[in-house]
Amino acid sequence: MGYTETDTLCINTIRTLAADATFNANSGHPGAPMGLAPLAHVLFNKFMTFNPKNPHWANRDRFVLSNGHACMLQYALLHLFGYAVSLDDIKKFRKVDSICPGHPEVHATPGIEVTTGPLGQGFTNSVGLAIAQAHTAAEFNKPGFDIINNYTYCILGDGCLMEGVASEAASLAGHLQLGNLIMLYDDNHISIDGDTNSAFTEDVMKRFESYGWHTSWVKDGDNDLAGIEAAIEAAKKVTNKPSLVKITTTIGYGSKNQGTAGVHGSPLKADDIESIKSKFGFDPKQTFVVPKEVYEAYGKHAAEGAAVEAEWNKLFAEYGKKYSSEHADLSRRLSGKLPEGWEKKLPTYKPTDKAIASRKLSEAVLEAIHDVIPELIGGSADLTGSNNTRWKNAVDFQPPSTGLGDWSGRYLRYGVREHAMVGIMNGLDAYGTLIPYGGTFLNFISYAAGSIRLSALSHHRSILVATHDSIGLGEDGPTHQPIEVLAHFRALPNCMVWRPADGNETSAAYYMALTSKSTPSILALTRQNLPQLENSTIEGGIKGGYVAVENKNADVTLISSGSEVSICVDTVNELKEKHNITARVVSLPCFEVFDAQSQEYRLSVLPDGIPTMSVEVMSTMGWEKYSHEQFGLNRFGASGPYKDLYKKFEFTPEGIAKRAVATVEFYKGVNPRSPVNRAFKQLI
């Protein structure tokens, strides 16, 4: 455990880089990186195994900075250890198009595992990374071939522990006995508002002990490098519990204002930085200085990591000779490719097939494809029987000691923890060997909004099975009936929101969700049965929108999604027989995908010269892009049998026809442009 002056020099180099970069950007958080430098030095140089020349090596240890505002700590480490982050990149910290953005972003910077910043999310992602490691190891490790044995390390702060999502994830991690997960808590007693004694005085260690975690405390995180090392070493030896190591540090260590909120969220003053450099033995007038000894020390550990990877590659090659099918499967997963021909398993339907709720259609897809896509790992936030998310012979992912399942199980019991479920799914996807899906009611994905936003920003292929998608759920009433939810998530960039109208559209939604490697998907599914549409095909569905009923010289286009499409189809006869109005119907299961089609195709679906009216039994917001008039539910629902509710709110052929007649009358003598015909394209 011996430490030398070189270790001190490495630590102080991290501190001065953080001070210089935030000052140069005139923005950022210098305090946490300066306080965390000793911990980070010990962790990266003594424990973590990685190869900076290959940041995606499968068995690397994963590191997550949950308090993402401290990102100059991570950028400094990445540069010093030899990742493709130059000193010039660090000088561009927080500048436009820099690879060192204001908070860590997984696709911006080599060596970043997950996007963090919103507090608690990185903590939750880390639980997902640890689950993924445990599952992948159980699937592929064989006697003599410990192919997957990495750890997940996460640094977090007081703010992360205040966020509810971290509590949800910590509770589940304790139940799952994730001994491969080590959390390092920066106990500096400072948040933006000042000393945490104003709002956060609980006994964190007792809380985590009650969750089933191993805990320890390093009381002098500023100087006790040996104590930090011993605590992490002890945590690694606890194999049946996740670990929380509390390290008490001084935020902004070395600054005139150390230990105060003044060093938390804004750059240090020039004279303070000069004072710090003098105190640490640096030239106070020089900036962005990295002594040669620091590069050499960190380069040595990076070379050790590269050597470990080289040995791993040899082991993996030998593994391939003995376990060829497992080798091929793991290699395919790591390449990001789906199994050849998997899509042939997707169910297809004829118009004569019986009416089925789309949540049951989703279940049929999972039942059909789970064997051919072995990386698919699912779960539900305590609504398995309602979401229909578990295939018949599924095994739960559980510690074998519980007797409830095993580590190779592919079904996760998330409990009533929607927010953590999606954050964990983001970690599962980030690991690189699994495709996660998770179920809850559509109304309750609002609980998970913070994690879903990061799914989209981080380009995670995660799939939300969101059932009970409208007033069609019936008697549970307005507390459970989503009104604004689809509008919210349709507004989220890089997020596919699917609301399929029948079986073929449901299969199309899964096809797109699984083949879109960089986009999360929300599947809004019904409780009530839906008929199979006449012109529905998977090929049409994967375009996001298509013509469900075509009539020449139509007077009006009815455009809809999900359960209302079949009602619109029935409305066509109502309009013709009672009002002598000719209507056509468009099904639009996914805005995002339809928007990506060619202008020619979109105009063939929504042509010029015909007024278009949207029909969806929830908020009309967003439908202005595709219709001239909107019929929706801009109010909360009600409790009662769903058919009675549809009548109450006039989502019936008669009610839709009444509004279609008004639309035709309103646009009489006008030659309206298609709603998709616009003066300019939006930035997407």
Side-chain angles (χ1 to χ4, degrees), residues 337-348:
K337 296 177 181 176
L338 290 168
E340 195 71 34
W342 73 272
E343 68 280 2
K344 295 172 185 173
K345 292 284 188 175
L346 287 169
T348 56

Side-chain angles (χ1 to χ4, degrees), residues 65-369:
L65 186 67
S66 188
N67 48 339
H69 56 269
C71 56
M72 259 316 304
L73 174 74
Q74 196 165 9
Y75 299 148
L77 291 164
L78 293 173
H79 167 67
L80 296 172
F81 277 99
Y83 285 83
V85 178
S86 70
L87 209 52
D88 283 338
D89 291 325
I90 286 177
K91 291 175 183 177
K92 295 173 186 173
F93 173 57
R94 291 195 162 213
K95 307 293 186 185
V96 174
D97 296 330
S98 168
I99 68 165
C100 296
H103 289 82
E105 296 180 34
V106 63
H107 294 290
T109 317
I112 300 294
E113 300 288 354
V114 292
T115 299
T116 60
L119 296 176
Q121 292 290 341
F123 183 111
T124 310
N125 299 160
S126 298
V127 175
L129 288 165
I131 291 171
Q133 186 279 328
H135 175 81
T136 306
E139 285 274 293
F140 292 102
N141 288 356
K142 303 291 182 185
F145 293 95
D146 216 11
I147 298 298
I148 300 295
N149 61 7
N150 70 279
Y151 282 83
T152 296
Y153 299 97
C154 174
I155 290 178
L156 59 133
D158 291 299
C160 296
L161 292 175
M162 294 185 217
E163 287 286 358
V165 67
S167 299
E168 292 180 20
S171 174
L172 183 59
H175 164 74
L176 292 174
Q177 303 174 21
L178 298 172
N180 57 355
L181 176 64
I182 298 175
M183 298 284 190
L184 303 158
Y185 164 33
D186 179 21
D187 172 43
N188 64 30
H189 292 277
I190 294 295
S191 63
I192 291 175
D193 275 1
D195 195 302
T196 53
N197 65 14
S198 66
F200 188 58
T201 53
E202 67 185 46
D203 189 328
V204 169
M205 307 301 268
K206 284 184 179 176
R207 170 153 68 100
F208 274 73
E209 286 165 13
S210 75
Y211 289 149
W213 287 56
H214 161 75
T215 64
S216 63
W217 183 13
V218 180
K219 295 182 180 180
D220 182 8
D222 299 329
N223 303 292
D224 188 6
L225 304 185
I228 294 170
E229 182 178 349
I232 298 174
E233 193 64 62
K236 290 185 70 174
K237 291 176 181 175
V238 180
T239 58
N240 64 342
K241 293 181 179 182
S243 292
L244 180 74
V245 181
K246 173 180 172 180
I247 299 114
T248 299
T249 68
T250 302
I251 191 170
Y253 184 87
S255 166
K256 297 173 183 177
N257 296 311
Q258 69 177 36
T260 72
V263 297
H264 174 67
S266 56
L268 305 180
K269 304 297 183 187
D271 64 327
D272 194 8
I273 295 175
E274 290 184 6
S275 170
I276 290 165
K277 289 177 180 176
S278 296
K279 191 181 298 182
F280 293 156
F282 286 72
D283 184 334
K285 298 299 182 185
Q286 289 191 336
T287 59
F288 297 100
V289 172
V290 179
K292 178 167 65 72
E293 302 96 309
V294 175
Y295 281 131
E296 288 174 351
Y298 286 151
K300 180 173 178 291
H301 184 68
E304 291 167 356
V308 172
E309 186 195 352
E311 288 301 312
W312 185 90
N313 288 334
K314 292 177 186 176
L315 181 69
F316 193 49
E318 288 299 312
Y319 176 83
K321 294 175 185 175
K322 194 166 183 180
Y323 302 101
S324 58
S325 62
E326 289 89 344
H327 181 278
D329 185 21
L330 182 55
S331 298
R332 176 191 60 76
R333 294 191 195 192
L334 293 169
S335 75
K337 296 177 181 176
L338 290 168
E340 195 71 34
W342 73 272
E343 68 280 2
K344 295 172 185 173
K345 292 284 188 175
L346 287 169
T348 56
Y349 298 85
K350 305 184 299 295
T352 51
D353 290 337
K354 68 177 182 179
I356 308 173
S358 54
R359 63 172 174 159
K360 294 292 290 181
L361 294 165
S362 165
E363 181 182 38
V365 172
L366 295 172
E367 198 67 59
I369 68 173

